[in-house]
Amino acid sequence: MITLENVTKRYGKFTAVDGVSFVAQPGRVTGFLGPNGAGKSTSMRIMVGLTPQDGGQALIGGHRFADIPNPSRHVGVLLDASAQHAGRTGREVLRLSAATMGMGKERVEEMLTLVGLSGSEAKRRVRNYSLGMRQRLGIANALLGDPSVLILDEPVNGLDPAGIHWMRGLLRNFAAQGGTVLLSSHLLHEVEMIADEMVLIGRGKIVARGTKAELLHTAGTYVKPEDPAALLQALHAADIAATPSGDGGFRSEAEPIDVGRAAAAAGVVLAELKRAEGEGLEEMFLQLTSDDARDSITPEGVQV
């Protein structure tokens, strides 16, 4: 199990992660979704002790990552497929990791076969690997210690359709055996195909969480007015809560007819008024995070 409780990370005046809290359960694949620069990678680096948080706590199995003895035997991590020694062969990369973990050479060969890098590909230098091959090698490294938890940041980048299909099956099988999978991506469709739970993050804050059915059920109404300030005033007068969503739009749990009546009573012109529940997860995701998308480089030059 992975537990984040009010995790916060600041770089000077810039807040990369702002009070993030969620739980990734055993036996389930949890999708961690958000635009580039939303805070996904920073959150995951905090989980595995690579970036110190300024507040809150991140626990794996009830422990800080730094307190877990031989952590690679319990937690498999892939945060950057390119961060591998380019001059070593795929087999050498895994053998060095295995020696560090106390695993035998037979486990290395098992993992190379599992990820499709056996034979001549295991003898090639990593510098000659495609991005997809580096992703496969990174997955092999993450699984090498036979962990119960996987933390993967954008693992399908560079994979072809066959590779993506293979990845889905691999992660589903891992979760089916009781493992915990946290899968980060900005590609909603790929995560939607595999995730049991989804956590949506934007501008460092959690904006929604739950299963696909739960997220769509609570989507409510989407409304886009000609005059946003006038609509907010009208909704407030009608005791209807609304939050910004999308380019000048708002989301409310109220029914569309109630939002429309409040706008009409105040003479507010609406460009859009629809039940968000029927628009699909991708549209809901875009509306929830479009105002939150930001460049992936902070003012201090730190990747988030």
Side-chain angles (χ1 to χ4, degrees):
M1 178 186 295
I2 303 170
T3 306
L4 270 67
E5 297 179 357
N6 200 33
V7 170
T8 299
K9 178 62 183 178
R10 303 182 186 89
Y11 297 99
K13 296 181 180 179
F14 178 79
T15 302
V17 179
D18 192 355
V20 166
S21 299
F22 68 86
V23 176
Q25 299 282 356
R28 301 179 76 79
V29 177
T30 300
F32 193 29
L33 297 158
N36 290 329
K40 303 185 303 297
S41 295
T42 299
S43 297
M44 299 178 96
R45 288 178 60 84
I46 288 171
M47 293 174 206
V48 298
L50 293 176
T51 296
Q53 69 267 35
D54 295 312
Q57 64 177 355
L59 304 176
I60 300 175
H63 305 279
R64 294 189 315 128
F65 185 85
D67 296 332
I68 301 173
N70 199 354
S72 296
R73 296 292 298 269
H74 305 278
V75 187
V77 180
L78 173 58
L79 299 186
D80 184 356
S82 296
Q84 303 178 73
H85 196 296
R88 295 193 175 110
T89 67
R91 179 175 282 114
E92 288 171 345
V93 168
L94 293 189
R95 283 188 174 179
L96 284 170
S97 294
T100 301
M101 299 177 199
M103 305 294 291
K105 293 181 179 179
E106 64 281 356
R107 180 65 176 176
V108 170
E109 299 307 314
E110 182 184 343
M111 291 299 98
L112 286 169
T113 299
L114 176 69
V115 303
L117 291 178
S118 57
S120 62
E121 292 181 334
K123 301 176 184 178
R124 290 172 60 184
R125 304 290 175 186
V126 172
R127 69 166 62 93
N128 298 320
Y129 277 11
S130 66
L131 177 56
M133 292 174 69
R134 294 187 188 202
Q135 291 284 19
R136 288 174 179 268
L137 182 62
I139 289 293
N141 224 330
L143 292 170
L144 189 61
D146 194 20
S148 59
V149 175
L150 284 179
I151 298 175
L152 311 175
D153 193 5
E154 305 281 3
V156 299
N157 277 1
L159 292 180
D160 58 20
I164 292 172
H165 180 77
W166 164 81
M167 179 75 74
R168 288 180 197 147
L170 181 72
L171 298 183
R172 284 196 189 102
N173 184 60
F174 184 88
Q177 296 180 35
T180 301
V181 179
L182 181 66
L183 171 66
S184 162
S185 182
H186 64 281
L187 302 174
L188 177 65
H189 174 69
E190 293 306 327
V191 176
E192 183 182 357
M193 294 285 288
I194 185 175
D196 302 297
E197 308 269 351
M198 287 182 245
V199 178
L200 277 60
I201 185 171
R203 199 169 290 275
K205 296 182 179 181
I206 302 300
V207 295
R209 74 191 75 181
T211 65
K212 176 180 176 181
E214 289 170 344
L215 290 174
L216 290 178
H217 178 73
T218 59
T221 297
Y222 176 73
V223 58
K224 185 173 182 179
E226 186 177 72
D227 186 339
L231 177 65
L232 278 181
Q233 185 175 0
L235 294 178
H236 180 73
D239 198 25
I240 295 175
T243 57
S245 177
D247 184 16
F250 297 90
R251 182 176 295 277
S252 173
E253 293 186 6
E255 290 295 311
I257 191 170
D258 296 324
V259 173
R261 282 173 178 162
V268 178
V269 176
L270 300 181
E272 290 185 63
L273 175 64
K274 58 185 178 182
R275 183 178 295 280
E277 182 177 331
E279 64 198 12
L281 190 59
E282 182 175 24
E283 183 64 22
M284 188 202 75
F285 171 77
L286 292 173
Q287 289 181 5
L288 282 171
T289 61
S290 62
D291 282 347
D292 300 321
R294 60 188 175 195
D295 293 338
S296 59
I297 302 297
T298 73
E300 286 75 20
V302 179
Q303 181 78 30
V304 299

